[in-house]
Every structure is written in structure tokens, then in C-alpha cells.
Amino acid sequence: MESGNNMFLIVSLIIAGIAIIIAIGVFAYAHLLESETAQKAAALKQAESSVSESTVDSFIRLRDRLTQAQTVLSQHVLMSQFLDDLSSLTLTDVRFTNMQITVGEDHSAAVHMTGTAKTFNALAAQSAAFATQPLIKQAIFSGITADDKGVVTFTLNAVLDPRLVDIPPTLPASWSVAAPAEAATTTDTTQATSTATTTP
Amino acid sequence: MSRLMPFIFILLAIALIFGYVRPTWEGQIAQAKADIASYDAALTAASNFSDNEAKLEQERDAIPADQLNRLNVFLPDSVDNVQLILDLNALATRSGVTLSNFATPTGANGTDANAQTQTAPNSGPLVDSLTLSVSATGSYDGFRAFLAGVEQSLRPLDVSQLSVTDSDTGVYTYQVTFKIYWLH
């Protein structure tokens, strides 16, 4: 009976000892983790302090400028393309006296022109010439009247396809990028040619 | 008394396990582990940020400074329409065209009535635009040279309206409305 009591005492002592060892281990582990937490918090603070807000802003600004510049450039309007086409399409017996072009948000352009033609036949030929340019749509001649000398006055309304005023995928070889003030010197060599009959 | 000692030891063990070990493990230690995991994630992100920052700096430095300056001219931080008018005037003079009546329409509250904003997906306004109207007189060839110069200028100017009126003298009258842009 006495030996059974001693055995129970020994087992209880072992259990209590294990519990104490575990408690000490947990205590040490908790302090170790606290120390590690403090170290990582300090490291993070240091990492945060090394981040320059102005540097980040400059990167964001540069990214925005690059992406938006690409968008603006891809939607650049080149009215000269239409004026070149108009010069080549206008017949010698036809003269435009007034022209108004309005470019819409979708880059289609509404054109309103008034002009004179030496004869009805010249006007008919002019109408046929415009029909050969598929990017000039809905070209409607109206207000057609003839004076005593047979000179025909008319009004032309048309819609330009966006491809006629948008920047082409490939820039002309003669182009060079310059500021407006600088551009004058470069455009002297690329002046569009036009004759008296093709001027508006 | 000696018979009670085993029970006291067992009670002590139970008290330690359930009174200290378990609450500390599930509370303080679990919280510390969660904090450490959070800090580790943040430190990893910080490390990635540093790497990306270095990479971006390298890429930005690879762009020649004059190209960056040209980009800033292409899409400036402000409208700077006064300098633009001066540049346009210089270009017109070289092209033999005379400019007059520069107008930037303003609304009742003093803000630009024609100012528009382009927005990118999932972002705020990035680009503002302003219309600038100008009257011009000159020969058609001169105007074409002026227009070509405008179209090729470093700062993009989009013609949104163009009006040309003929004249017997060969000096025509033009009314042009440009759209100009700047980074918001």
C-alpha cells in the first residue's frame, strides 16, 4: 500500500514537472516571439522610411504621361490629309470659295463648302470625282444655280471618314518632330502644293 | 499530508496547463505569430517594391534626358497657352500668315467652357483639353505651310474646326480652332 502511494507521488511529481517545463517553454517562446515581432516592426519602419513619396509620384506621373501621350498621339488630327485630297480631286473648272470643317468627337468631320463651276458638266465631273474617294462620304451638292454666263454656283455638304483626318499608322518620311516655333523651318520644305483652282 | 501531495502536484499541473500555457499559446503567442506573418508579408512587399523601384529607376535612366524633356513638352503639366500662342505666332510669321484674335472660351464661373477631360479606366481624370480659336490671314500656300507646321509640332494641336474664306486678292481669311492637351 505504501509503495503504491509512493508510485502515485512519483507520477504526480513527473506530471507537475512536465507541466512546469512546458510553462517555462511557453513563457520563453512568447518572449522570443515578442522580440521577433519588435525586430520585424523596426525593419518594416525602416523600409517604409526608405520609400520616397516624391519618387513614387514621379514614377506614376511618368507612367500617366507616357500612356496618355500615346492616346493623344494616336488621336492626332491631320487636316492636311483632307486638304491634299481636296487639291487633287478639285477639277480645274471648279473653284471653292468657302469651306467649313468641323471634326466630331468620333473624328468624323462634317464639311460644308460653297463654290462655282464653269459649266454644269464641270460640276457633274466634280461630283463624279468626289465619288471616287470612298473616305469622302455623303457628298451632296445642293443650291445649284446658274447665272447668265452659265457659271454654276453650288453648295457641297459631306462627311469625312475619320481615317481621312486621323494620324496615319506610319508618319510621312518628311516629318520631323519639332516645337511649333521650330516647325516652321521644317515645314518650309514640305509645303503642300496647291493651284489657284484647288484653293478654297 | 503526504497522501495529499500527489493531488496537489496534479492540480498544480492542471492549473499551469489550463491557467497559463493554453491561454498564452492561444492568445499572446497566436497573436504574435499572426503579427509576424503580417510583418513578413509587408517586408516581402517592401523588398519587391525596392526591387521594382530600382528597376524602374534603371529604365527611366535609360531614357535620354532630352527625350523626357520632349515628352514633358508634348504633354505638359499645365495648359501654358500663352507660350503656345507665342510659338504659333512665330510659326505663322515664318509661314507668311498673320494671326489675330486668339480666344480661349471661358464659362460664367471663369473656368474654361470647352475644357474637357479624358479619363482612363479605373482612374481619375488624366488629361485635360482646351480649345484655342485663332483668326488668320494669308495665302493658301502659306496657310498650308502653317498647318503642316502645327500638325508636326512637338506639342499636339488637333484642329477641331476650320473655316476658309476665299478672296479675289489671294489673301484668304481663316478661322481655326485647335484643341490642346495637358496632363491633369
Side-chain angles (χ1 to χ4, degrees):
Chain A
M1 187 68 183
E2 185 67 27
S3 65
N5 286 340
N6 287 339
M7 183 61 70
F8 186 45
L9 180 62
I10 291 167
V11 169
S12 65
L13 266 174
I14 290 170
I15 291 171
I18 291 171
I20 290 168
I21 290 169
I22 290 173
I24 291 170
V26 165
F27 178 80
Y29 186 49
H31 278 272
L32 182 72
L33 289 180
E34 271 185 17
S35 171
E36 191 177 342
T37 304
Q39 283 178 2
K40 288 188 183 295
L44 184 60
K45 198 172 181 180
Q46 190 178 4
E48 281 177 347
S49 65
S50 68
V51 175
S52 166
E53 198 173 337
S54 62
T55 304
V56 175
D57 285 344
S58 72
F59 284 136
I60 293 172
R61 196 79 176 151
L62 179 59
R63 180 204 64 187
D64 290 346
R65 202 181 301 279
L66 284 166
T67 55
Q68 294 306 306
Q70 195 171 21
T71 302
V72 169
L73 185 61
S74 67
Q75 297 173 352
H76 189 34
V77 172
L78 299 185
M79 196 61 75
S80 289
Q81 294 176 118
F82 167 66
L83 297 179
D84 287 342
D85 273 15
L86 183 63
S87 295
S88 60
L89 287 172
T90 304
L91 305 178
T92 53
D93 289 341
V94 176
R95 180 186 179 92
F96 291 106
T97 54
N98 187 283
M99 176 175 69
Q100 292 176 337
I101 307 173
T102 303
V103 180
E105 286 298 317
D106 62 349
H107 282 208
S108 65
V111 182
H112 175 84
M113 291 191 286
T114 57
T116 58
K118 285 185 178 177
T119 63
F120 271 110
N121 285 341
L123 184 59
Q126 185 61 69
S127 177
F130 275 121
T132 62
Q133 170 52 285
L135 298 182
I136 300 177
K137 300 174 178 175
Q138 302 169 31
I140 299 171
F141 288 84
S142 60
I144 301 169
T145 55
D147 62 13
D148 297 339
K149 296 177 181 175
V151 176
V152 181
T153 59
F154 63 89
T155 299
L156 170 64
N157 287 293
V159 176
L160 306 183
D161 189 282
R163 285 173 287 178
L164 203 53
V165 293
D166 276 346
I167 190 167
T170 306
L171 291 176
S174 59
W175 269 47
S176 64
V177 182
E182 301 166 7
T185 54
T186 61
T187 53
D188 285 344
T189 57
T190 58
Q191 272 190 23
T193 55
S194 59
T195 63
T197 54
T198 60
T199 54
Chain B
M1 182 64 184
S2 63
R3 288 183 179 178
L4 289 176
M5 288 303 288
F7 295 102
I8 292 171
F9 288 144
I10 289 172
L11 282 175
L12 176 66
I14 291 171
L16 277 174
I17 295 297
F18 291 99
Y20 175 72
V21 171
R22 189 177 174 186
T24 305
W25 187 268
E26 293 179 348
Q28 187 182 351
I29 289 177
Q31 182 61 47
K33 282 182 173 177
D35 289 346
I36 287 171
S38 174
Y39 283 132
D40 281 342
L43 285 168
T44 302
S47 174
N48 289 339
F49 173 82
S50 296
D51 292 345
N52 285 334
E53 187 183 33
K55 188 181 169 189
L56 286 172
E57 275 180 357
Q58 197 176 5
E59 288 179 2
R60 186 181 59 186
D61 292 345
I63 303 173
D66 65 318
Q67 295 295 322
L68 285 175
N69 289 336
R70 294 174 78 87
L71 181 65
N72 289 336
V73 173
F74 184 92
L75 203 56
D77 290 318
S78 63
V79 59
D80 197 12
N81 54 326
V82 175
Q83 182 59 47
L84 184 65
I85 288 169
L86 289 174
D87 290 342
L88 281 174
N89 227 359
L91 174 60
T93 303
R94 294 181 185 202
S95 306
V97 174
T98 304
L99 301 184
S100 59
N101 297 332
F102 292 93
T104 52
T106 54
N109 59 357
T111 57
D112 175 25
N114 285 30
Q116 295 180 353
T117 299
Q118 290 184 2
T119 56
N122 303 319
S123 68
L126 292 177
V127 172
D128 279 337
S129 65
L130 173 77
T131 56
L132 173 68
S133 298
V134 58
S135 300
T137 53
S139 67
Y140 186 66
D141 284 349
F143 178 74
R144 289 298 307 274
F146 170 71
L147 190 62
V150 166
E151 289 173 346
Q152 296 178 40
S153 73
L154 180 55
R155 187 165 184 192
L157 294 101
D158 288 339
V159 175
S160 58
Q161 284 185 318
L162 171 64
S163 171
V164 186
T165 305
D166 193 7
S167 162
D168 291 336
T169 62
V171 177
Y172 302 150
T173 304
Y174 312 90
Q175 182 71 36
V176 192
T177 301
F178 296 110
K179 201 170 178 182
I180 54 179
Y181 307 90
W182 73 98
L183 196 62
H184 188 72

